[in-house]
Amino acid sequence: MAEKPSTPSQANPYGRVDEEVAISDERRRNRKKCFVYVLAFIVLQTCVFLIFGLTIMKVRSPKFRAIFLAPPLWSATFNTFEVATLNTNSSFSIKMIAELGVKNPNFGKYKYQNSTIEFYYLDMYKVGEAVVPRASAESRSTRKFEVTVDLSSTNVPSEVISGQFRSRPIIPLTSQSTVRGKVEIMKLMKKNKSSNMNCTMDINISSKNIENLTCR
């Protein structure tokens, strides 16, 4: 009698088990890969949001400064320059046009309101003021503009000016101002920010230049 041929399962009873184990291992490997991909995506997204928050969404204070021709000279011109250097009755009347700038370091527009700059002689006597008109500085740019100020010694005792002229032929001035406004980033966030400008300078009455300008 001829022998009955054996079936594959009879030849290897563990073949089906090995196949199921292989499939299970493959599924485990796929799950691990999926987990790694998801974890990498989460880390990447966290890094992106962190960089986004530390750069684009971080709001910095703008800077309000005088514009320099070449240090230490301020970009300013004089339409009127009348100075009397008498021993007992010194005075001055000066119309100055100066160039200023609002530097916006943010990734969003900075809109600021009207403001004024006050000028003082020897940090004591107010001798003039200038108007800073409302405007805006674009993202990461500097808005430049000119202001006109009439400097007059009306409120300064003439003997004080005469004493200064005898010491050195200059007009020592200080100026101070605060610009207030809002930084708007991607129309998602608005934050109030202000910038102060405090400067000291000397007007040389011989050369008609501004010297020794420092701002903070």
Side-chain angles (χ1 to χ4, degrees):
M1 180 183 294
E3 291 186 2
K4 189 176 181 179
S6 62
T7 62
S9 58
Q10 291 174 332
N12 184 8
Y14 300 103
R16 188 173 187 85
V17 175
D18 292 341
E19 183 179 353
E20 291 177 352
V21 170
I23 293 174
S24 179
D25 290 341
E26 181 67 22
R27 287 175 178 173
R28 265 197 304 270
R29 284 194 295 270
N30 289 338
R31 282 197 295 268
K32 288 181 179 179
K33 288 181 181 179
C34 182
F35 175 76
V36 171
Y37 293 151
V38 171
L39 183 61
F41 178 77
I42 293 174
V43 172
L44 179 62
Q45 289 293 98
T46 302
C47 292
V48 169
F49 283 120
L50 183 61
I51 295 173
F52 188 77
L54 293 177
T55 56
I56 296 178
M57 298 302 290
K58 184 177 181 179
V59 180
R60 302 174 179 85
S61 295
K63 294 182 178 180
F64 182 29
R65 291 292 183 266
I67 303 298
F68 292 89
L69 282 171
L73 297 180
W74 189 8
S75 180
T77 57
F78 301 99
N79 283 356
T80 304
F81 201 96
E82 298 176 356
V83 179
T85 57
L86 303 176
N87 287 333
T88 58
N89 193 21
S90 298
S91 63
F92 59 84
S93 178
I94 300 172
K95 182 183 288 291
M96 180 175 67
I97 302 174
E99 187 174 8
L100 304 175
V102 175
K103 184 178 181 180
N104 178 20
N106 298 291
F107 287 90
K109 183 181 292 187
Y110 177 58
K111 298 179 181 179
Y112 55 91
Q113 304 301 316
N114 293 333
S115 182
T116 58
I117 308 173
E118 296 180 336
F119 291 82
Y120 292 86
Y121 183 86
L122 292 176
D123 205 22
M124 295 175 58
Y125 307 98
K126 186 175 179 179
V127 294
E129 66 177 31
V131 175
V132 178
R134 65 182 299 172
S136 62
E138 296 297 326
S139 169
R140 300 183 66 80
S141 66
T142 299
R143 175 65 180 259
K144 297 180 181 180
F145 56 93
E146 291 183 343
V147 297
T148 301
V149 54
D150 291 315
L151 301 170
S152 173
S153 61
T154 303
N155 297 326
V156 187
S158 59
E159 60 269 21
V160 174
I161 303 174
S162 298
Q164 172 61 52
F165 285 167
R166 284 193 296 269
S167 172
R168 190 177 171 210
I170 63 168
I171 300 174
L173 298 175
T174 58
S175 67
Q176 58 186 35
S177 179
T178 300
V179 169
R180 294 181 174 85
K182 289 184 179 181
V183 177
E184 181 178 328
I185 298 180
M186 301 174 63
K187 296 184 179 181
L188 298 175
M189 182 176 66
K190 293 182 180 180
K191 192 167 185 179
N192 293 325
K193 282 293 179 179
S194 62
S195 177
N196 299 322
M197 181 178 70
N198 296 285
C199 300
T200 60
M201 68 199 80
D202 298 329
I203 298 180
N204 189 312
I205 63 175
S206 299
S207 63
K208 297 182 180 180
N209 281 327
I210 293 181
E211 301 174 348
N212 303 320
L213 173 66
T214 58
C215 293
R216 55 182 176 84

